[in-house]
Structure formats: C-alpha cells, structure tokens
Amino acid sequence: MLYSKMLIPTLREEPKDAEIDSHKLMLRAGLVRKSAAGLYTFLPLGFRSLLKVTRIIREEMNNAGAQELLPPFVTPADLWKESGRFDKMGKEMLRFKDRHDNEMVLGPTHEEAFTNIVRENVHSYRDLPLNLYQINTKFRDEIRPRYGIMRCREFIMKDAYSFDADEAGLEANYQAMRTAYRNIFRRCGLSVDPVLADSGSMGGSGSEEFMVPSQVGEEMIVKCNSCGYVANTERAAAYREYPESKETPEVLSETSTPSVRTIDELTAFFKTTPQKFIKTLIYIADGAPIVALIRGDMDVNEVKLKNAAGAIELELASEDKVYEITGAPVGFAGPVGIKKIRIIADISVPPMVNAITGANRKDLHLVNVNPGRDFEWEKAADIQSIREGDLCPECRKPLNAYHGIEVGHIFKLGYKYTDSMNVVFLDKDGKEKKPIMGCYGIGVGRTIASVIEQSHDENGIIWPMSIAPFHISIIPVNVSDETLMEASRKLYAALKQNYEVLMDDRDERAGVKFNDADLIGIPIRITVGKTFAAEGKFELKLRAGKDKEVLSETDLIRRIGEIYAEETAKYSGN
RNA sequence: CGGGUUGUAGCGCAGUUCGGUAGCGCGCUUGGUUCGGGACCAAGAGGUCGAGAGUUCAAAUCUCUCCAGCCCGACCA
C-alpha cells in the first residue's frame, strides 16, 4: 500500500478529550475517529488491526469447535419479553419501534437470540453439543462512555453460546473456551490474567474474566502472590476469623446520640472501635426494601449482596426512602424492631456481642444489641468488600490489589435461558431435557486498546506483528531522488509478495516520515536513504528496538524473513 | 440523574472582564529554496464564534432558554 493513497490522518497534537494513552494514540495514529459520545469510526489503519484480531479470534474459536453465524443486530423485543429481561435490562438497552409499531431492541447481548436459534432448530441430543458464536456490533447505552474505544456504547464483540446435553458437556466446552481465550490473547500479544469472577446464581468455579493488568482498568482484582489465587473483588472472599467474644450479653439500652451518624463519628462518640458497630444499610432490591447488616469496620459489596438476596437490580435507598422505612433519618437505622423487611446479615454480624446500632429514631442509638436475641435475619452470607492486605482465602497470606481491563469473560449460564424460553431436546432415553448453556465474550475493540495500552512508548504505538496494520514500512527519505525512489519501488514490489508493506511515498521530509512511522508503530522499518546512496544498502530498524542494521538487498530480504518467522512463531496458533 | 467545566477554522488555543463586525500556532493550497528525526520564505484558502430568542445603532462578548462534549459523583448510614 502506498501511504500517499491511504487515509491516515495522524495528529501532531494530543486531542484534548483523550485521557489515557491508548485513546490518545489511537486518535493520533489515525486508527479511529469519534462520531459521538461512545461511537467510533475505525479508519482504514485501525480497521486493518481490527480485522487481524477478529481473524485470530475466528481461528481459535473454530479450532475449539465453535461455529460462526450472524444474527441481526436488531432484535425483536418479543424475545426479550419472553426471557423476562425486557423490563429488567434498564436504560442501557436501546429500544425503538419500527414503522409497524413493533418494538425492537439494539442487541446489548445475545443470549435470547442464540437460545431462540437453538430452540427453533435443535431437537435431538444428536445435535448437541453446540457452540455458536458471532462477531457483531453490540449497543449498550452506557451511562458514561469513556476512554475512547475502551468503554463505548457501540462496540464489536465476539460472543459465543454453548449448548450441552449435560453438565459434563458444559464443562468440556467451558474448558475449550478457556484454552481458546488464552491462545487468542497470547496471539494478540496481550498478557492477561484469568481471574475468578462473579458468577451470579451459578456459583462455583463457573466464571472467569480475562484481565489485562493496567492502571486504567475499571475492575479491581486481588491476587495472592504466594499461592496464585486471583479474583475480582466483586467475588473475592477474604479469610477472616471471628473469635468468640468473651463478653456476656448485657441488657439492651438506648443512648442519646444527637447528630452522630457516621461510623467515624460514632467511634469517637462512644470511645470504642468500629468493630463494635453493626452498620445497617437500606437497599432497594427489585423494588422492595432490604436491610443489609455488616460489622462497622467493613463495607458491603453490592454484587455479593445482590447475589445473596437473589436480586437482579439493587440500589442504595434514597434518604427519603430510608426515612420512610426506618422512621429515622440516615445514620440512625438499625435491625432491632425492623419488621416485614428482609434482613441479610454479613457473616461478621452473628458472632457479635453487645454491639451498637441505630435505634430507628432520630438522634438515638442502641447499645448492647445482641444478634439472635434482639433481632433475627433471613440469611447470613459473605457480603463484605475485600481490600488490599486482606488474607487469601486459600493460603491466608496478604492479598495484593490491582486494576485490570476486562477483555474477555467466560461463564456457565446454566439453564437460565433454556428454562425461561423453554428449549427442549429429546435425549437418548427418549425424554425431553433442557440444554445447559455457557456464554463466552471478548471485547474486540477493547482488546486492541489494551494492546496499545500495554505496548507503546513516548513516540507511539508498538504493534505486535500479529495484529499490526502492516508488517513493514518502507521510507524513501527523499522522493525527488529518482535513484532512491527506483530502489524503494523495487524493494516494495519484492516485499509485497510475502508481506503487508506500507510504502511512505509522500513528499515529506524524512523527520516527518520517521515520526509518523513511530506513531503508527509498524514493526519493521526500512529506510532507503544515505546508506543506499553511499553503498547501495538499506537500513532496517525494528519499532520495538533501538538498533539499526545496514544490509544489502539480499541480506535484507533474508533478515526480514528471519524476523517475520520469529515473530510469527511467537504469536502462532500453536 | 447531581456537581463542575468547556463549546471560536481540520487540530490545539487566545479574544468575552470593559459590546464596535474575529485572531495565533499547527495542519491545508500554490510557488520557490531545502531534504536522515515533526524545515524555511512568500502568497493564499478556510469560521452561521454550539443553537435559538432577547437587549442594543451595533453582540463571540450582555440576558434568558436549549443542545452537545469532557471530568467527578451517582457507594456505605
């Protein structure tokens, strides 16, 4: 490809709206342009890399026995109503009506669509197992899109859905995807950690996220350096001891606490430790209030609470609601006397003796509150947030915390959709059964952004060979020098046979070309300039390195062959 | 949805306090000189100043309304 013919609008200055390196570089290198908040155009250069990533994904998915198909981006709302998610999805699902007044949805995810395809076309155990996938556009009307391609509203995702006759089959599919994912990210030159993730109602080891460790990641991960335990803080369970208290339960009494409401204020007021308090939080779970209890020195993890409560939507109650429910302003809620409202207690609460809680009356707290004696709870569960330094649940060593970008997620869905949408097949024994599902996603754009986030320097992107938009760039230093141009054209024609080559034939100064080449980040750079004029040799430099090699045409072609073979091996499918 | 902030040429910005008919750098076009790390000289093109309404002889500038972008928050009693 000739540079002069290609649309590569590089930018000298940093776009002011970009915050993170990958976003700045994708804009500066002319890979993408924004159309509106969370909506991006992939320009020719960016699209080439996108296609390479999707090619790798396809190879690995197909290799793992999955089959690609292409459902429409627009889904009829009926399917969503059937699964019960139409009302539960919230505003991130964009809805609209067509000219016939039919309700439609821009697919934010495709469980329903795939389940429906299977329901209509699969009727026998002979058709199973199946793993179907698409690489398609998704739309989620995010509250706040940010970081460019990292968190978009419209984005490209590979999502796969597996259907098996039994759990053993699901496990096999899951493991195949796990392997495929490791291969995909390795081939893209990304180093990722598979971490234990929240698995919703399924529990167990049925959910892993593939995380790229990065400062700009939006997820928090804890990792144990001694045994290797890695988990998303949404689900990580710290090891904690709850020693039996030596105190004997005392008589419940009230204490006036005018305007003392936070744990800090209360700790100071009562001259005690946060561990003495039972923090009482009021949440609204699927429209109904619930009470969450936790020891004063800990925080509630809403994902865990949501799971413990079996809720789909969970949000903290507003101040007004708190007043309505407890009869007291925020800061004075407590479990004693709460009726007809579900109470979920953290496992830290039942062992407490002579605790302090709000009295559900303004400016009043209760002391010597004893769980079981003074109040009951529906369920005790681990609903606590984990923090850096908490102990590893496996080996009890302190955990480290870091940020990660979620580029992939695999998890076992179970029967959720085959139940709600009533999908059945006839098993060997002649009985109707429901297939068990798994779900496996990869954010394609996010993968590219993560690679750039992980592989760049102050001058620009450093592409891994496997997903670079081109393998080689040729820079004739002076286009008005016919000798150089002649040699460049000849070299270009030769290399083009085996490689993807970008020839910078623009009438620009050498400095401009070098800087653009660095920005764009093509792995191999060949300069045709003074060394050619002097001794008929080419200069070869790798984007990732500093050294330059001066080589004759024959040596150059051989050297490129070596480098390419080496790189290809590094990112190969095996 | 709340708080903050910004909308002026393709990009980055000044001009708004104190109204007088729009400017700088980069980029772009043409010509020339240059040519190995973002050259120089000269001449140009390019703007409904986010939108609308109002005040005024006169509005980028003052008033009101709306829209959009960005950042923070929407989480701990």
Side-chain angles (χ1 to χ4, degrees):
Chain A
M1 191 77 208
L2 296 180
Y3 197 125
S4 64
K5 297 255 170 21
M6 208 173 162
L7 178 65
I8 311 176
T10 59
L11 262 23
R12 280 195 190 192
E13 292 182 74
E14 286 195 349
K16 68 166 178 176
D17 289 347
E19 276 214 301
I20 63 172
D21 293 334
S22 58
H23 188 197
K24 288 178 190 167
L25 288 172
M26 289 181 85
L27 256 9
R28 286 231 293 138
L31 304 186
V32 297
R33 281 294 183 268
K34 184 167 82 169
S35 326
L39 305 177
Y40 282 82
T41 299
F42 273 84
L43 296 176
L45 213 51
F47 191 55
R48 289 181 71 100
S49 282
L50 182 79
L51 286 177
K52 294 202 173 181
V53 172
T54 53
R55 186 191 305 158
I56 290 173
I57 292 174
R58 284 195 170 94
E59 283 176 19
E60 293 298 330
M61 289 300 292
N62 295 346
N63 206 267
Q67 302 168 57
E68 184 171 13
L69 50 81
L70 187 61
F73 173 36
V74 173
T75 328
D78 285 353
L79 279 180
W80 292 84
K81 289 182 173 162
E82 217 184 319
S83 72
R85 288 211 288 180
F86 190 72
D87 300 319
K88 285 168 183 163
M89 276 304 279
K91 287 199 180 150
E92 67 266 20
M93 185 159 86
L94 191 64
R95 302 135 204 261
F96 61 96
K97 288 184 178 172
D98 66 13
R99 59 163 67 188
H100 305 296
D101 237 25
N102 291 321
E103 284 184 293
M104 296 287 176
V105 154
L106 286 189
T109 175
H110 283 75
E111 282 81 2
E112 282 82 355
F114 278 75
T115 305
N116 188 240
I117 288 161
V118 168
R119 175 172 61 184
E120 288 175 347
N121 300 291
V122 171
H123 308 289
S124 158
Y125 73 94
R126 291 173 202 274
D127 301 323
L128 298 175
L130 266 184
N131 190 173
L132 304 174
Y133 76 99
Q134 64 173 335
I135 294 175
N136 204 353
T137 298
K138 297 250 184 296
F139 190 91
R140 292 182 192 166
D141 203 351
E142 294 276 351
I143 296 176
R144 216 182 121 198
R146 67 184 113 180
Y147 297 154
I149 229 76
M150 202 70 100
R151 189 181 194 85
C152 278
R153 294 196 294 171
E154 183 178 313
F155 55 100
I156 295 174
M157 187 169 168
K158 188 284 302 178
D159 50 327
Y161 305 88
S162 68
F163 298 82
D164 279 281
D166 53 33
E167 274 187 48
L170 171 60
E171 178 63 21
N173 254 323
Y174 182 87
Q175 289 306 330
M177 284 298 101
R178 198 168 188 275
T179 309
Y181 273 39
R182 284 169 168 276
N183 285 338
I184 288 166
F185 294 122
R186 180 183 51 75
R187 293 183 61 189
C188 292
L190 255 191
S191 90
V192 298
D193 288 340
V195 318
L196 295 175
D198 172 50
S199 47
S201 51
M202 278 298 286
S205 61
S207 175
E208 282 167 281
E209 288 165 338
F210 289 77
M211 294 285 193
V212 179
S214 164
Q215 286 290 345
V216 304
E218 297 185 275
E219 302 287 330
M220 271 305 262
I221 302 154
V222 287
K223 183 174 194 170
C224 173
N225 291 334
S226 83
C227 77
Y229 174 84
V230 201
N232 191 310
T233 49
E234 283 180 352
R235 71 143 278 161
Y239 172 78
R240 276 199 184 88
E241 284 180 358
Y242 304 98
E244 274 199 32
S245 171
K246 304 216 166 43
E247 290 183 53
T248 49
E250 304 202 17
V251 180
L252 184 68
S253 67
E254 296 179 345
T255 302
S256 170
T257 52
S259 300
V260 185
R261 38 184 96 214
T262 66
I263 292 292
D264 279 352
E265 289 163 8
L266 285 160
T267 306
F269 183 88
F270 284 98
K271 298 186 171 54
T272 181
T273 57
Q275 282 87 338
K276 272 315 262 188
F277 297 89
I278 299 175
K279 202 146 82 173
T280 306
L281 281 63
I282 316 296
Y283 282 90
I284 305 296
D286 300 336
I290 61 167
V291 172
L293 305 177
I294 194 163
R295 209 170 69 189
D297 60 318
M298 299 180 186
D299 293 322
V300 166
N301 175 326
E302 290 187 1
V303 175
K304 289 183 183 178
L305 175 60
K306 201 195 285 189
N307 292 338
I312 291 151
E313 295 261 321
L314 182 81
E315 58 173 356
L316 205 63
S318 65
E319 290 191 21
D320 293 350
K321 288 262 190 199
V322 171
Y323 198 93
E324 200 178 298
I325 293 157
T326 67
V330 165
F332 301 98
V336 182
I338 293 275
K339 296 262 157 51
K340 295 184 197 150
I341 296 177
R342 301 173 64 195
I343 297 181
I344 309 280
D346 181 61
I347 47 175
S348 60
V349 170
M352 293 175 75
V353 176
N354 296 333
I356 304 169
T357 74
N360 296 327
R361 276 159 61 194
K362 189 173 189 299
D363 298 340
L364 206 63
H365 276 77
L366 297 177
V367 298
N368 298 326
V369 174
N370 287 288
R373 184 192 73 179
D374 301 321
F375 66 91
E376 297 289 338
W377 52 90
E378 176 193 309
K379 187 173 183 182
D382 175 353
I383 57 167
Q384 45 191 258
S385 292
I386 198 163
R387 284 180 289 231
E388 171 126 38
D390 282 344
L391 300 183
C392 172
E394 305 285 338
C395 72
R396 305 185 189 181
K397 296 272 167 39
L399 291 165
N400 288 96
Y402 62 95
H403 290 275
I405 302 164
E406 182 188 344
V407 288
H409 192 173
I410 57 177
F411 76 110
K412 297 178 181 174
L413 270 177
Y415 298 99
K416 186 173 172 190
Y417 295 95
T418 46
D419 270 343
S420 64
M421 296 180 63
N422 196 33
V423 183
V424 292
F425 68 95
L426 215 51
D427 207 353
K428 267 181 208 154
D429 54 12
K431 289 186 179 139
E432 275 198 347
K433 288 184 186 165
K434 287 178 174 156
I436 185 166
M437 290 175 66
C439 165
Y440 321 92
I442 291 179
V444 179
R446 187 177 282 187
T447 298
I448 293 173
S450 299
V451 169
I452 295 171
E453 203 59 50
Q454 214 171 59
S455 181
H456 69 273
D457 62 17
E458 66 279 10
N459 297 319
I461 301 168
I462 304 173
W463 287 111
M465 187 70 84
S466 57
I467 64 168
F470 289 94
H471 302 136
I472 300 168
S473 67
I474 298 176
I475 299 183
V477 145
N478 183 347
V479 292
S480 50
D481 182 329
E482 233 345 274
T483 322
L484 294 187
M485 285 312 287
E486 181 60 37
S488 300
R489 278 194 287 264
K490 207 177 133 225
L491 182 67
Y492 172 61
L495 290 174
K496 196 162 76 157
Q497 305 301 316
N498 300 309
Y499 309 100
E500 295 169 19
V501 187
L502 182 66
M503 159 113 142
D504 195 346
D505 59 334
R506 294 175 300 166
D507 183 11
E508 286 288 353
R509 315 198 82 216
V512 172
K513 296 189 186 187
F514 288 141
N515 280 308
D516 275 338
D518 285 348
L519 219 206
I520 292 167
I522 296 168
I524 299 173
R525 186 184 89 192
I526 298 160
T527 310
V528 188
K530 64 184 174 195
T531 57
F532 188 83
E535 43 184 332
K537 289 185 173 176
F538 300 92
E539 181 185 287
L540 179 146
K541 181 183 172 296
L542 300 184
R543 177 62 181 88
K546 284 199 74 175
D547 300 336
K548 296 170 183 170
E549 298 176 55
V550 177
L551 303 160
S552 68
E553 185 172 337
T554 326
D555 290 343
L556 177 73
I557 287 172
R558 182 182 44 75
R559 195 67 247 279
I560 289 172
E562 284 170 17
I563 294 164
Y564 185 77
E566 222 171 87
E567 288 289 302
T568 307
K570 194 154 84 184
Y571 302 118
S572 80
N574 305 302

